[in-house]
């Protein structure tokens, strides 16, 4: 379940299979706060939103949007400036984009027409300029909100098995490193 400290005591929230207003699952895998102060919680069964003001849960993802896929064990939940919530699944590397305006969820690498379709995403990251970055076993990608599109940054050599991205906050640089121990730090 989820333990929430209210300033005085911890409150524990568990899934109730008969209550859609309870947390979806009991094994928490990721937590993220949105601009409205709500807490997005990823579990073994999907994603819930906890509202600390009302102490209630909602389940934003409609299973019909997932086309038979299961949004399980989200490893990373990231919010962009456009109301999108980006969710990376741990095992499969699937990337989902939840649009808060339309309340629809789109898998960014489930469709064979997607630039990400044949890649396993290893990392999802938002930098200080609010750019969404995706590292995969075949390169680095970013999200262009103006085009509502994924941009690929190809590598000259096929040396990499997977990409890891970390943000170096003091130097304002993004560090791209690989399982082959090759590192580059272009200006962000």
């Amino acid at each position: 379940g989820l333990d929430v400290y209210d300033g005085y005591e911890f409150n524990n929230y568990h899934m109730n299979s008969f209550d859609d207003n309870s947390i979806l699952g009991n094994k928490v895998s990721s937590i993220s706060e949105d601009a409205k102060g709500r807490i997005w919680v990823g579990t073994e069964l999907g994603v819930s939103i906890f509202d600390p003001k009302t102490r209630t849960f909602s389940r934003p993802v409609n299973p019909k949007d997932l086309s038979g896929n299961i949004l399980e064990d989200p490893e990373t939940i990231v919010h962009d400036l456009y109301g999108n919530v980006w969710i990376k699944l741990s095992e499969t590397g699937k990337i989902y984009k939840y649009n808060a305006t339309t309340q629809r969820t789109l898998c960014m690498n489930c469709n064979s027409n997607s630039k990400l379709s044949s890649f396993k995403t290893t990392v999802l990251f938002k930098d200080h300029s609010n750019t969404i970055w995706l590292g995969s076993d075949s390169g680095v990608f970013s999200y262009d909100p103006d085009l509502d599109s994924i941009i690929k940054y190809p590598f000259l050599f096929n040396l990499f098995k997977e990409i890891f991205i970390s943000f170096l906050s003091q130097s304002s640089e993004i560090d791209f490193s690989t399982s082959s121990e090759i590192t580059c730090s272009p200006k962000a």
Side-chain angles (χ1 to χ4, degrees), residues 4-5 20 28 30 52 58 67 73 76-77 80-81 85 123 135 143 148 160 166 173 186 188:
V4 178
Y5 185 67
D20 286 343
V28 175
S30 58
S58 60
S67 303
D73 285 326
T76 309
I77 300 173
D80 69 19
L81 292 177
V85 179
V123 67
Y143 173 68
D148 191 27
F160 310 117
S166 59
E173 292 182 350

Side-chain angles (χ1 to χ4, degrees), residues 31-150:
I31 298 175
S32 180
E33 183 178 7
D34 68 17
K36 296 178 182 177
R38 300 174 307 172
I39 308 300
W40 289 66
V41 182
T43 70
E44 80 279 11
L45 298 177
V47 176
S48 301
I49 302 173
F50 177 72
D51 185 334
K53 293 176 186 169
T54 61
R55 296 183 183 187
T56 58
F57 286 89
S58 60
R59 299 178 182 175
V61 177
N62 184 340
K64 293 178 184 175
D65 289 347
L66 302 179
S67 303
N69 292 310
I70 300 172
L71 205 139
E72 60 189 357
D73 285 326
E75 180 178 72
T76 309
I77 300 173
V78 175
H79 310 269
D80 69 19
L81 292 177
Y82 303 94
N84 298 311
V85 179
W86 296 80
I87 302 164
K88 180 200 170 290
L89 302 188
S90 177
E91 293 297 316
T92 64
K94 298 272 190 229
I95 297 290
Y96 290 86
K97 182 178 80 167
Y98 173 80
N99 183 310
T101 304
T102 63
Q103 297 185 344
R104 301 286 313 265
T105 305
L106 174 66
C107 181
M108 301 301 287
N109 54 350
C110 294
N111 183 330
S112 61
N113 295 330
S114 167
K115 289 182 183 178
L116 299 172
S117 66
S118 60
F119 308 124
K120 179 179 180 184
T121 305
T122 55
V123 67
L124 168 65
F125 179 78
K126 180 176 80 170
D127 70 17
H128 282 297
S129 65
N130 290 299
T131 301
I132 300 295
W133 292 94
L134 305 158
S136 78
D137 56 3
S138 294
V140 176
F141 301 82
S142 70
Y143 173 68
D144 183 334
D146 295 328
L147 299 174
D148 191 27
S149 179
I150 299 292

